[in-house]
Amino acid sequence: MSHSRLPHEPDPEPTESLEDLVKDHRLLAAQQWLGTHQPHVIADALARMNAVDAGVAFRLLDKDRALAAFEELEPVNQQQILEGLRDRAFLDLVENMEPDDRVRMLNEAPAKVAKRVLAGLSPNERRMTSALLGYPEGSVGRYMTPEVVALPQNLTVEQALRTVRAKGADAETVYTLPVVDSGRRLTGIVELRELVLNPPDMMMSELVVTEPTSAYATASAERAARLMRETNDLNLPVVDSEDRLVGLFTIDDAVEVIEAADSEDVARQAGAAPWAGHYMAASVWQLARYRALWLMLLLVAATLTIGVTQAFEATLEQVAQLALFIPMLIGAGGNAGAQAATACVRALAVGEVRGSDLLKVIWRECRVGLVLGSLLAALGLLVGSLFVSLKIAVVVGITLVLICGWAATIGGTMPLLAKRLRIDPAVVSAPMVTTLVDATGLIIYFLTAKAVLGV
Amino acid sequence: MSHSRLPHEPDPEPTESLEDLVKDHRLLAAQQWLGTHQPHVIADALARMNAVDAGVAFRLLDKDRALAAFEELEPVNQQQILEGLRDRAFLDLVENMEPDDRVRMLNEAPAKVAKRVLAGLSPNERRMTSALLGYPEGSVGRYMTPEVVALPQNLTVEQALRTVRAKGADAETVYTLPVVDSGRRLTGIVELRELVLNPPDMMMSELVVTEPTSAYATASAERAARLMRETNDLNLPVVDSEDRLVGLFTIDDAVEVIEAADSEDVARQAGAAPWAGHYMAASVWQLARYRALWLMLLLVAATLTIGVTQAFEATLEQVAQLALFIPMLIGAGGNAGAQAATACVRALAVGEVRGSDLLKVIWRECRVGLVLGSLLAALGLLVGSLFVSLKIAVVVGITLVLICGWAATIGGTMPLLAKRLRIDPAVVSAPMVTTLVDATGLIIYFLTAKAVLGV
């Protein structure tokens, strides 16, 4: 059944997977599977398979479903499929893609594939594609659709609808209609809804929103997408530096941009490089590669903790029991720092906090950390006194207050500082804060111990 | 200027904030500020202010802008505003909200506010609101708009457009038009675009998508939203258990649901309770409350590390230098575990991994962990031999391989296990994995030391 309805209960597990059918060489059954599932389900199944199997399955699709499923794939997977296709099928596919989807694929394609794609396109499609590729990576220009129905000013509703009818067939959307002057400069937008609901002889100008929210083609696609989330606009008109209309940024692309940005932030917060492919399709080596660099950097940074512990070796030898609490204390500091860092990175991403809020954020995170530290100190005192003398338990308690205050301050400061220095705040990830807090937390711990215990 | 254009450069900082104007009692300037900014900018400014100042600023808004800005606010902030309003303004505001926005606000409102809102509504609005409130929290029913233009079957394009014109004014969207049979059962959808672009005498049935993707009103709103991201649908028809059309889930609400779900996952991954308000508007106490519980639970869990270290106290006393590497080793394990946990939670959230993939995921994460551990071991051996004897450095190296393999396996397993047990996978957060890995990692470390050093 191609009928797909989101059921009451979560997680309907598929009975037999496309992957198994192809692996078992049951190609007829695979073809039947492909004929009865929706494009996004097919795309998900293809993305989970290795390149060879996915290529086999893809060639079993009829032409229309092939295009639909192909457009749902991530760029990484699209390339894998393309590389396995003969010329005829290859050309059909790339010619019929939407220009913005094509550009997204080319963004991440090796030069060889990109060249083959561009060479195979008809002149009109090639012109549009090259224009989009001219915008910087991550900009609105890369994601917008250039095929827009623009309306001249001074039409009646009926004339406007006639224009839409004449020119709308190729456009990705006709729901937001930019209005332009004779120099193609954006002067407003009108919603198709307004044209349909109002009398034909009404002047369109009465329905035009004259100062619409818009974006320069070079603006950040993520910021534009988050702006659309706030304004609830379906489409954002995109203009060049001379205010001339060049395209529309549509909501489906905005949703994709937001989800990709959130995935990237999530990966960075866990200390891994952002990764665009399908989790199940990545090989063990690929997954390891995306995580290795940060893990090694963090290990090197962690040698600071060795140095600090060595510097206080005398203290540790005198009071061996201090070693018992090292994992717990740096754990607590790390957690408090990660909470603050994550909250601030997220608040920056969704626009609740700006770079200029730095001092305010430092002041609030410092206080939050001290409040949390005091709570933990009470608990730590209790736990500590179960294992060691009250005096050492007091050291643990005081350390918790100081470490949490310090960790939350650092966690709140670093993302905003990064933002001010124009570094992606998410790069200042929770593990980086944690590692920094580990070493400094140990210093706090040993100094407190020396002061309280007089060693 | 109410004209808002996303510029080339990031972060245009506001010159003078609404907050400062209200705090300085410069109400005329504040009113001017409010008259020249867009609703979503006003909403952001209000959300950053305390309840009293926000109330003052809100009452300076004219009626239309007040409603527009109010609808952009988070439910938490909406309540704050409402509580400060007199009856007349209060009633105007709640009567004119969209039913789904109203329900979202009521979801989180105290009973007193909810009662006042429902009592103040006109019978028709009250009926719609009560119906939506009948659906479970987090379900599509809570987010859908019930005001839909449904078309009967067997119309011409012209007749269909006439129906849209007659009934469309109140509907939140007319771009997706559900088609229903005489029993109001959903049989298809037609896009307004198709009606506008095709000849008036064509039969609508030729343009109808007969088996559209849809959702039961009781289905998860997050899953429905992610489904729309995959299918690129603007609106999802919503039906009751007898397949009767009850509403439309619109893309702007879907984007909001995705962003809220991602924020929630991010918060949980950092070991904090999810939090719906504006970061800058939360008091220090509120922020502390949202983080305290997890931090305390993790501290209690961390006492395991004290127990483990105590159990191996004899080993530690014999080879005091082993203490030097404790923070680095548990840090590396924690990072490897957090990477795996975060990748799997995200893959589950966006639907790349299902509960049934448990064994596959365990197997791949175990191998990824061992690969990463081997890399770190090489580095650790080098670092270790700078500080201590080669024998101890070898202990550090072996421990890194084992800890990373173990941590990645645990990190990959726990979210999928949670999913199978129908617990939110994000709750099995990175800090929880880290804390678990801390204690078990120490056991691995000390056992390895005993075996290699023969102590």
Side-chain angles (χ1 to χ4, degrees):
Chain A
M1 41 136 244
S2 75
H3 183 98
S4 142
R5 175 161 299 165
L6 204 63
H8 306 268
E9 288 295 300
D11 232 18
E13 299 289 343
T15 44
E16 195 161 30
S17 75
L18 179 63
E19 192 173 357
D20 292 338
L21 293 175
V22 173
K23 274 205 193 309
D24 298 348
H25 301 286
R26 296 169 55 198
L27 296 190
L28 222 69
Q31 196 157 34
Q32 201 176 3
W33 192 102
L34 289 164
T36 52
H37 283 81
Q38 290 207 320
H40 74 273
V41 179
I42 296 173
D44 185 63
L46 291 174
R48 294 167 72 93
M49 296 159 75
N50 67 45
V52 177
D53 288 350
V56 171
F58 190 78
R59 271 167 287 171
L60 295 174
L61 280 163
D62 64 60
K63 210 167 144 178
D64 285 352
R65 296 177 83 76
L67 179 64
F70 189 77
E71 292 204 318
E72 303 285 341
L73 284 170
E74 300 287 337
V76 203
N77 303 113
Q78 288 178 332
Q79 279 162 51
Q80 285 183 342
I81 297 282
L82 273 189
E83 281 169 23
L85 289 183
R86 308 248 175 83
D87 261 1
R88 183 78 237 133
F90 179 98
L91 292 181
D92 265 358
L93 210 52
V94 297
E95 176 75 20
N96 288 308
M97 287 178 81
E98 297 282 349
D100 53 337
D101 290 336
R102 195 188 294 133
V103 164
R104 201 132 351 116
M105 180 185 73
L106 292 177
N107 275 344
E108 294 173 36
K112 196 187 53 145
V113 177
K115 220 170 139 186
R116 191 173 161 213
V117 169
L118 283 173
L121 291 175
S122 62
N124 185 37
E125 294 288 328
R126 194 186 310 138
R127 190 185 47 72
M128 279 193 291
T129 305
S130 305
L132 296 190
L133 280 171
Y135 295 106
E137 259 186 66
S139 69
V140 177
R142 283 284 178 109
Y143 288 91
M144 72 187 182
T145 169
E147 294 172 302
V148 188
V149 180
L151 298 176
Q153 300 165 305
N154 303 322
L155 297 182
T156 63
V157 165
E158 192 177 6
Q159 290 168 322
L161 276 174
R162 212 176 297 141
T163 311
V164 172
R165 225 168 258 130
K167 300 188 184 166
D170 284 337
E172 195 176 313
T173 179
V174 291
Y175 293 148
T176 304
L177 302 156
V179 180
V180 294
D181 66 14
S182 57
R184 212 177 157 80
R185 275 184 298 270
L186 179 71
T187 61
I189 56 164
V190 62
E191 288 255 2
L192 182 63
R193 174 198 177 117
E194 300 297 330
L195 298 181
V196 167
L197 294 184
N198 282 290
D201 54 349
M202 194 180 199
M203 283 310 291
M204 188 185 77
S205 55
E206 290 181 49
L207 305 170
V208 169
V209 179
T210 47
E211 289 182 329
T213 305
S214 61
Y216 285 114
T218 49
S220 145
E222 182 185 346
R223 290 195 62 224
R226 300 231 190 248
L227 181 66
M228 287 170 77
R229 138 90 179 81
E230 283 186 33
T231 58
N232 292 339
D233 287 325
L234 278 185
N235 303 287
L236 200 64
V238 183
V239 296
D240 67 12
S241 57
E242 276 141 48
D243 281 357
R244 282 182 308 234
L245 181 75
V246 290
L248 269 185
F249 184 44
T250 57
I251 185 79
D252 57 321
D253 292 325
V255 177
E256 216 168 277
V257 167
I258 287 180
E259 214 175 67
D262 285 350
S263 284
E264 188 181 319
D265 282 1
V266 164
R268 286 200 193 280
Q269 277 305 104
W275 142 257
H278 193 293
Y279 174 84
M280 292 304 284
S283 72
V284 167
W285 296 108
Q286 279 175 316
L287 286 180
R289 215 176 52 214
Y290 279 94
R291 301 180 190 170
L293 183 66
W294 268 100
L295 220 48
M296 290 169 76
L297 280 178
L298 291 170
L299 192 80
V300 171
T303 55
L304 276 177
T305 61
I306 306 178
V308 171
T309 315
Q310 211 171 31
F312 290 96
E313 222 164 4
T315 316
L316 206 50
E317 265 168 36
Q318 265 182 286
V319 194
Q321 289 182 317
L322 286 177
L324 293 179
F325 299 96
I326 290 177
M328 185 182 88
L329 289 174
I330 63 180
N335 290 334
Q339 286 182 335
T342 308
C344 290
V345 167
R346 184 67 187 166
L348 278 168
V350 298
E352 289 178 358
V353 167
R354 291 186 280 260
S356 57
D357 290 321
L358 180 61
L359 291 179
K360 279 189 208 162
V361 169
I362 292 180
W363 175 227
R364 37 181 23 215
E365 283 299 341
C366 173
R367 284 178 298 160
V368 173
L370 290 174
V371 169
L372 290 170
S374 308
L375 273 172
L376 292 192
L379 205 60
L381 204 66
L382 198 78
V383 167
S385 55
L386 297 177
F387 291 89
V388 292
S389 69
L390 187 64
K391 246 189 162 172
I392 297 184
V394 168
V395 172
V396 171
I398 296 176
T399 306
L400 279 169
V401 179
L402 298 176
I403 278 190
C404 288
W406 168 243
T409 309
I410 291 295
T413 307
M414 288 185 54
L416 272 92
L417 219 53
K419 177 84 178 178
R420 285 209 156 183
L421 300 173
R422 312 231 157 171
I423 301 168
D424 179 358
V427 172
V428 186
S429 56
M432 198 166 151
V433 169
T434 305
T435 305
L436 191 70
V437 168
D438 280 358
T440 46
L442 284 172
I443 299 181
I444 294 177
Y445 181 38
F446 289 123
L447 288 181
T448 308
K450 286 182 92 150
V452 174
L453 305 174
V455 291
Chain B
M1 39 139 244
S2 74
H3 184 96
S4 144
R5 175 161 299 165
L6 205 62
H8 305 268
E9 290 294 301
D11 232 19
E13 298 290 343
T15 44
E16 194 159 34
S17 75
L18 180 62
E19 193 174 356
D20 292 339
L21 293 176
V22 173
K23 273 205 194 310
D24 298 348
H25 300 287
R26 296 168 55 197
L27 297 190
L28 220 70
Q31 195 156 35
Q32 201 177 3
W33 193 102
L34 290 164
T36 52
H37 282 81
Q38 289 207 322
H40 74 274
V41 179
I42 297 174
D44 185 63
L46 291 174
R48 294 167 72 93
M49 295 158 75
N50 68 45
V52 176
D53 289 350
V56 170
F58 191 77
R59 271 167 285 171
L60 295 174
L61 281 163
D62 64 62
K63 211 166 142 179
D64 285 352
R65 295 176 83 77
L67 179 64
F70 189 76
E71 291 203 320
E72 302 286 342
L73 284 171
E74 300 287 339
V76 203
N77 303 114
Q78 289 178 330
Q79 278 161 52
Q80 284 183 341
I81 298 282
L82 273 189
E83 281 170 23
L85 289 183
R86 305 247 176 86
D87 260 1
R88 184 76 238 137
F90 179 99
L91 292 181
D92 264 359
L93 209 54
V94 297
E95 176 74 20
N96 288 310
M97 289 177 82
E98 297 283 347
D100 52 337
D101 290 336
R102 196 187 294 135
V103 164
R104 201 137 347 119
M105 180 184 74
L106 292 177
N107 276 343
E108 295 174 36
K112 196 186 55 148
V113 177
K115 220 171 137 184
R116 190 172 161 213
V117 169
L118 283 173
L121 292 175
S122 62
N124 185 38
E125 294 288 329
R126 193 187 309 140
R127 191 186 47 71
M128 280 193 291
T129 306
S130 304
L132 297 189
L133 280 171
Y135 295 107
E137 260 185 66
S139 70
V140 177
R142 283 282 178 111
Y143 289 91
M144 72 188 182
T145 169
E147 294 171 302
V148 189
V149 180
L151 297 176
Q153 300 164 305
N154 305 319
L155 297 181
T156 63
V157 165
E158 191 178 5
Q159 290 169 322
L161 276 174
R162 211 175 300 141
T163 312
V164 173
R165 225 168 257 131
K167 298 187 183 168
D170 284 336
E172 196 176 313
T173 180
V174 292
Y175 294 147
T176 304
L177 301 156
V179 181
V180 294
D181 68 11
S182 57
R184 212 180 155 80
R185 274 182 299 268
L186 180 72
T187 61
I189 55 164
V190 63
E191 288 253 4
L192 182 64
R193 173 197 178 118
E194 300 297 330
L195 298 182
V196 168
L197 294 184
N198 282 291
D201 55 348
M202 194 181 201
M203 283 309 290
M204 186 185 79
S205 56
E206 289 181 51
L207 306 169
V208 169
V209 179
T210 48
E211 289 181 330
T213 305
S214 61
Y216 286 113
T218 49
S220 146
E222 182 184 346
R223 291 195 60 225
R226 303 236 189 243
L227 183 65
M228 288 170 77
R229 138 94 179 77
E230 285 186 31
T231 57
N232 291 342
D233 288 325
L234 279 185
N235 303 286
L236 200 65
V238 183
V239 296
D240 66 13
S241 56
E242 276 140 49
D243 281 357
R244 282 182 307 235
L245 179 75
V246 290
L248 269 184
F249 184 43
T250 57
I251 186 78
D252 57 321
D253 293 325
V255 177
E256 215 168 278
V257 166
I258 288 179
E259 215 176 64
D262 285 352
S263 285
E264 188 180 321
D265 283 2
V266 165
R268 286 201 193 281
Q269 277 306 104
W275 143 257
H278 192 294
Y279 174 83
M280 292 304 284
S283 71
V284 167
W285 297 107
Q286 279 174 318
L287 286 180
R289 217 176 51 212
Y290 279 93
R291 301 180 189 170
L293 183 66
W294 268 101
L295 220 48
M296 290 169 77
L297 281 177
L298 292 169
L299 191 80
V300 171
T303 56
L304 275 176
T305 61
I306 305 178
V308 170
T309 316
Q310 212 171 32
F312 290 95
E313 220 164 4
T315 316
L316 205 52
E317 264 167 37
Q318 266 183 286
V319 194
Q321 289 182 318
L322 287 177
L324 293 179
F325 300 96
I326 291 179
M328 186 183 86
L329 289 173
I330 62 178
N335 290 334
Q339 285 181 337
T342 307
C344 290
V345 166
R346 184 65 187 166
L348 278 168
V350 299
E352 288 177 0
V353 167
R354 290 185 280 261
S356 58
D357 290 321
L358 180 60
L359 291 178
K360 279 188 207 160
V361 169
I362 291 180
W363 176 226
R364 38 184 19 217
E365 284 298 341
C366 173
R367 284 178 298 159
V368 173
L370 290 173
V371 169
L372 290 171
S374 308
L375 273 173
L376 292 193
L379 205 60
L381 205 64
L382 199 80
V383 168
S385 56
L386 297 178
F387 290 91
V388 292
S389 70
L390 186 63
K391 248 191 162 171
I392 296 185
V394 168
V395 172
V396 171
I398 296 176
T399 305
L400 278 169
V401 179
L402 298 177
I403 277 189
C404 287
W406 167 243
T409 310
I410 291 294
T413 307
M414 288 186 52
L416 272 92
L417 219 52
K419 176 86 178 176
R420 286 209 155 184
L421 299 173
R422 313 229 155 170
I423 300 168
D424 179 357
V427 172
V428 186
S429 57
M432 198 165 149
V433 169
T434 306
T435 305
L436 191 70
V437 168
D438 280 358
T440 46
L442 284 173
I443 299 180
I444 294 176
Y445 181 38
F446 289 122
L447 288 180
T448 308
K450 286 181 90 150
V452 174
L453 305 176
V455 292

